[in-house]
Amino acid sequence: MALGGFFSRLKDGLARSTQKLSDGITSVVRRRRLDDDALEELEELLISADLGTEAAGRVIAAFRRSRFGKEVTDDEIRQALAEEIAAILAPVAKPLELDPAKKPHVVLVVGVNGTGKTTTIGKLALQYRQEGKRPVLVAGDTFRAAAVEQLQIWGERVGAPVVAGGAGADPAGLAFDALTRAQAEAADVLLIDTAGRLHNKGALMEELRKVIRVLRKQDASAPHSVLLVLDATTGQNALQQVRVFKEMVDVTGLVVTKLDGSARGGIVVALAETFRLPVHAVGVGEQATDLRPFDAGEFARGLVGLEVAAGP
Ligand SMILES: Nc1nc2c(ncn2[C@@H]2O[C@H](COP(=O)(O)OP(=O)(O)OP(=O)(O)O)[C@@H](O)[C@H]2O)c(=O)[nH]1
Ligand SMILES: [Mg+2]
C-alpha cells in the first residue's frame, strides 16, 4: 500500500475520534478570543478526546503562555495544538531497533487478548524479511489451538519458520527450543507470541516470568525487547493495561493497533505523557503491510484534523 494510503487511513481513523475535538475547536474559536473560558473549554475537549488530564493540562499551559488573550483563527489553533501534542509524542517515537550483535535479538510480545499481538508479529516478520533479515516465530500462545494456526499462517505468508508445539504445550519449553534453534541458525530476531489471557492474572504473570527465566538459561540478556501491544479502540483502558503488564514484566516498548478503525488516537498522547515508553509502531489495518513507524508530527496533525503530508 502506498504511504499516501496509510496516512489517509490513519487520518480517517483519527478523524472519527477527533471529530468532536475538531468541531469543538471551531466553536471555541468562533465565539471569542483565547480567554480563560475558551482555554477551559479547549482543555475539556482535549480530555474528552482521550488525551488525559496531564497532557491536556500541559498543552493548555503552553497555550496560556504563548497565546492568552489573542485573537486566533481555527487554523492557528490547530497548528499550535499539533505542535504541542507533537512535542509530547516526539520523545516516544522510536522504532524498535534490533541489536545486530544478538543472534537472535529476542522479542517477547505481550498484551491482553485481541489487541493484535499475533497480527503484529506477522507484520513485523514481513518487515524483517523485506529487509533481508531472518526472523523466527514462536507460537507461545498454546492456550488456544487457533492461535497456533494463526501464527503458522503468518509464517507461511511471510516466509518465516514458526516453532510450535502440540495443544497445551509448555510455552517456556517452546521458547527455549526456539531460541536454541534460532541461535544455531544465527537468525536475526526471535518473535515470541504469548497468550493474552489465562485463567487469571496470576497465571499469566507466572507463565510470562517462566518464559523469561527459561530464555535466560540460554541467553542471560534475553529478552532484549518486551513489546506490549495495545488496542487504541479501548481508550482509557489501555492505560490500565500498561500498569498491569509493567507489574508482570519489564515492558520496553509499545505498539498501538487499530488506529484505522473507530480509533481513539488521543490515547497515544495519554500513554506518552503517563509512561514515556517508546511507541515503536502503529497498526492501521489487518493486512501484512499495515504496520507503520510512529511519526509524532504526522500523528499530531491527524489528531487535530490538519492535513497530513502524503509521506516521504
Ligand atoms: N483494523 C485493524 N485490525 C487489527 C489491527 N491489528 C490487529 N487487528 C485485528 O484484530 C484482531 C485480533 O488480532 P490478533 O493479532 O489475533 O490479536 P491477539 O492479541 O493475538 O489476540 P489473542 O491471541 O486472542 O490474545 C484480528 O482480527 C486482527 O486482524 C489493526 O491495526 N487494525
Ligand atoms: Mg494471538
Side-chain angles (χ1 to χ4, degrees), residues 25 29 34 42 63 72-82:
I25 293 170
V29 179
L34 271 188
L42 210 47
F63 257 60
V72 280
T73 65
D74 183 305
D75 196 56
E76 281 165 348
I77 289 263
R78 279 178 222 280
Q79 298 281 353
L81 267 182

Side-chain angles (χ1 to χ4, degrees), residues 210-222:
K210 189 174 168 200
V211 168
I212 292 171
R213 223 167 34 237
V214 167
L215 287 170
R216 284 185 179 156
K217 288 186 186 166
Q218 193 80 348
D219 176 350
S221 65

Side-chain angles (χ1 to χ4, degrees), residues 220-240:
S221 65
H224 308 106
S225 304
V226 179
L227 273 192
L228 174 58
V229 179
L230 300 168
D231 171 349
T233 65
T234 58
Q236 295 294 309
N237 251 324
L239 295 167
Q240 187 53 23

Side-chain angles (χ1 to χ4, degrees), residues 26-302:
T26 308
S27 79
V28 169
V29 179
R30 213 169 263 153
R31 284 208 305 278
R32 49 183 128 81
R33 57 182 64 218
L34 271 188
D35 57 12
D36 279 317
D37 287 347
L39 284 173
E40 200 173 304
E41 264 183 54
L42 210 47
E43 185 166 2
E44 277 164 22
L45 271 170
L46 294 177
I47 292 169
S48 70
D50 277 325
L51 271 79
T53 51
E54 278 175 49
R58 201 201 288 212
V59 167
I60 295 303
F63 257 60
R64 187 180 292 280
R65 280 193 300 274
S66 60
R67 292 173 183 84
F68 186 76
K70 290 189 183 144
E71 298 264 3
V72 280
T73 65
D74 183 305
D75 196 56
E76 281 165 348
I77 289 263
R78 279 178 222 280
Q79 298 281 353
L81 267 182
E83 276 169 36
E84 299 300 342
I85 291 171
I88 294 173
L89 295 178
V92 303
K94 291 180 198 148
L96 175 62
E97 296 208 10
L98 298 186
D99 181 348
K102 307 290 181 198
K103 295 284 178 208
H105 182 110
V106 179
V107 183
L108 185 66
V109 180
V110 302
V112 303
N113 54 330
T115 55
K117 293 180 296 298
T118 306
T119 306
T120 298
I121 289 175
K123 292 168 174 178
L124 282 171
L126 175 67
Q127 292 183 358
Y128 293 134
R129 292 288 297 131
Q130 288 174 339
E131 291 166 14
K133 297 198 175 86
R134 298 196 305 141
V136 174
L137 318 185
V138 189
D141 179 0
T142 58
F143 201 57
R144 295 181 303 116
V148 176
E149 277 164 37
Q150 188 190 356
L151 195 70
Q152 281 167 331
I153 291 168
W154 273 107
E156 275 164 35
R157 195 182 289 165
V158 307
V162 179
V163 177
D170 173 28
L174 270 184
F176 185 85
D177 291 348
L179 179 53
T180 309
R181 172 174 167 184
Q183 285 175 333
E185 295 174 2
D188 297 291
V189 52
L190 187 68
L191 295 160
I192 306 174
D193 197 10
T194 62
R197 181 180 295 158
L198 294 180
H199 304 289
N200 55 55
K201 190 181 131 192
L204 179 57
M205 170 145 58
E206 191 45 50
E207 180 161 302
L208 292 176
R209 287 189 175 164
K210 189 174 168 200
V211 168
I212 292 171
R213 223 167 34 237
V214 167
L215 287 170
R216 284 185 179 156
K217 288 186 186 166
Q218 193 80 348
D219 176 350
S221 65
H224 308 106
S225 304
V226 179
L227 273 192
L228 174 58
V229 179
L230 300 168
D231 171 349
T233 65
T234 58
Q236 295 294 309
N237 251 324
L239 295 167
Q240 187 53 23
Q241 289 169 23
V242 178
R243 287 190 193 98
V244 168
F245 275 89
K246 272 170 65 88
E247 271 176 42
M248 297 191 204
V249 287
D250 182 16
V251 176
T252 60
L254 308 177
V255 171
V256 183
T257 65
K258 307 189 195 180
L259 282 162
D260 52 308
S262 55
R264 301 168 70 178
I267 192 61
V268 182
V269 186
L271 286 164
E273 176 73 32
T274 311
F275 301 107
R276 324 231 156 172
L277 282 165
V279 177
H280 292 311
V282 292
V284 294
E286 302 191 73
Q287 302 306 311
T289 51
D290 292 338
L291 186 76
R292 295 288 161 165
F294 178 60
D295 182 315
E298 296 292 357
F299 193 88
R301 291 175 67 80

